[in-house]
Amino acid sequence: MAPEVALSQAMSYARDLKSAYEAARARENELGQANERLRKGYQQSLQYALDLKRTYARLQRAIFQSLLGLANALEAKDPYTRGHSMRVADLARRLALAKGRTRPAAETIAQAALLHDLGKIGVPEGILRKSGALTEAEWVIMRRHPLTGAQIVAPLEFFDEGAVIVRHHHERLDGSGYPDGLRGEAIPLGARIVAVADVYDALTSGRSYRAALLHTEAIDILRGEADRTLDGRLVNLLIDILEAPSARPAGDVSDNGPVPDDAAERGI
Ligand SMILES: [Fe+2]
C-alpha cells in the first residue's frame, strides 16, 4: 500500500474513533442527566409520601378527637350517663399504671375507656332511656354496642389496641359475657381493666330506677364478682387504689351524677 493511502486510512480511522468517542460521551452525559432527573423525582415522591403519611396521621387524630367529642355529647345529653366515661377512663388509667403498664399503654386503655360505650349511638333512645327492665329483644340490641363501637374506631390505625378493648369491655371472666364469650386471660387486660372500672362507676352512680350505691356497698358487690365475672386481682387493685390513705374514692356519690346501667348489663 502506498504510504499516502495508508496515512489517509489511518486518519479516517482516527476521525471515526473520535466521533464514536464523542457520541459515547454525549450519551453518557444524557444518561447522567436522566439519572439526576430520576433521583430528583424519587426524592420528590419520597417527600410527597412522607407529607401524605403525616397528613393521614393528622386526619386520623382529628377523627379520633371528633369521636371523643361525639362520645362526650352522647353522654352529656343524658343525666344518667353524664361524666361516666371520664370517670371510667380516670379509674382505668390508675388501674393500668398500678398493674405496671407503661404510661403510653395506660393512656391507650384510658382512651378506650372514654370511647367504650360509643357504640350506644346505634341503640335507639327508647331502649337507652327506658327506666324499666329491658325485654330480651331490647337486650339483643343493647348488646350490640361493643361491636358497633369497635367498628366505628376500627379505621383508626393507631388505635387498634383500643378497638380491641372497646369490643371486649363486656366480656366476663366466666365466659358469660359478650360479644365473643371470651374467658379468663383470653380477655385482653385492657378490657378487663375497663370492665372493673365500668362496673364500679355504674354501681356508685344513680340510675333511673335506683339511687347510687355507697362506695362500701359497691365494693361488696365487686368482691362478690371477683374471679367470677371480674378479674379478682384487678378488683383488689381497685380497692387498694380507692382506699389508699391519700385517695378519695372516685365513686363518692356526692361527685357523681346519676349514670346508666352498665352494671345491669352484667346482671349485677
Ligand atoms: Fe358498655
Side-chain angles (χ1 to χ4, degrees):
M1 185 185 296
E4 57 276 18
V5 174
L7 181 63
S8 166
Q9 255 181 1
M11 292 285 286
S12 175
Y13 288 150
R15 274 195 300 275
D16 290 348
L17 263 177
K18 190 178 173 219
S19 304
Y21 172 73
E22 283 170 355
R25 281 295 303 269
R27 214 166 13 247
E28 198 177 310
N29 277 341
E30 275 169 24
L31 273 173
Q33 284 165 6
N35 220 10
E36 183 60 14
R37 281 197 296 276
L38 267 175
R39 197 185 63 77
K40 282 185 178 155
Y42 172 71
Q43 293 279 6
Q44 209 167 38
S45 305
L46 209 61
Q47 193 56 45
Y48 287 154
L50 282 174
D51 288 348
L52 203 61
K53 201 176 162 192
R54 278 192 211 109
T55 305
Y56 185 60
R58 272 202 297 271
L59 188 67
Q60 290 221 340
R61 287 278 166 196
I63 292 170
F64 183 71
Q65 288 302 324
S66 307
L67 291 180
L68 286 178
L70 189 65
N72 202 27
L74 188 70
E75 280 189 359
K77 68 176 182 175
D78 184 343
Y80 291 103
T81 57
R82 197 169 295 144
H84 169 65
S85 292
M86 288 282 274
R87 291 191 298 272
V88 174
D90 178 55
L91 261 183
R93 182 186 294 106
R94 289 156 76 191
L95 267 173
L97 290 173
K99 185 75 182 157
R101 297 290 93 183
T102 62
R103 209 154 262 287
E107 210 42 52
T108 297
I109 292 170
Q111 287 177 331
L114 284 174
L115 294 175
H116 74 284
D117 274 343
L118 178 62
K120 284 186 178 171
I121 204 165
V123 178
E125 294 267 316
I127 298 177
L128 273 183
R129 297 184 185 229
K130 188 172 177 181
S131 54
L134 298 186
T135 65
E136 193 42 48
E138 288 167 337
W139 274 120
V140 169
I141 295 168
M142 180 66 114
R143 287 182 184 128
R144 284 183 197 147
H145 80 270
L147 269 180
T148 307
Q151 280 162 358
I152 293 172
V153 299
L156 303 171
E157 286 172 7
F158 70 92
F159 197 58
D160 51 353
E161 211 177 308
V164 169
I165 295 173
V166 171
R167 179 184 178 111
H168 295 298
H169 77 273
H170 280 295
E171 303 288 357
R172 299 164 116 188
L173 220 64
D174 61 6
S176 64
Y178 58 93
D180 298 313
L182 299 185
R183 282 173 182 272
E185 298 204 346
I187 305 168
L189 175 65
R192 279 180 274 143
I193 286 176
V194 171
V196 170
D198 188 17
V199 172
Y200 176 80
D201 191 75
L203 289 172
T204 52
S205 306
R207 309 211 192 128
S208 53
Y209 54 89
R210 69 138 174 84
L213 299 186
L214 293 172
H215 168 72
T216 47
E217 294 170 328
I219 290 302
D220 281 347
I221 293 177
L222 285 188
R223 281 204 173 104
E225 294 302 320
D227 291 330
R228 196 179 75 81
T229 60
L230 299 171
D231 185 324
R233 287 163 301 181
L234 291 172
V235 168
N236 288 335
L237 214 47
L238 181 90
I239 296 168
D240 289 348
I241 289 171
L242 294 179
E243 297 187 349
S246 59
R248 183 165 164 274
D252 187 329
V253 290
S254 62
D255 275 357
N256 296 342
V259 178
D261 50 356
D262 278 5
E265 285 178 34
R266 292 156 190 283
I268 58 177

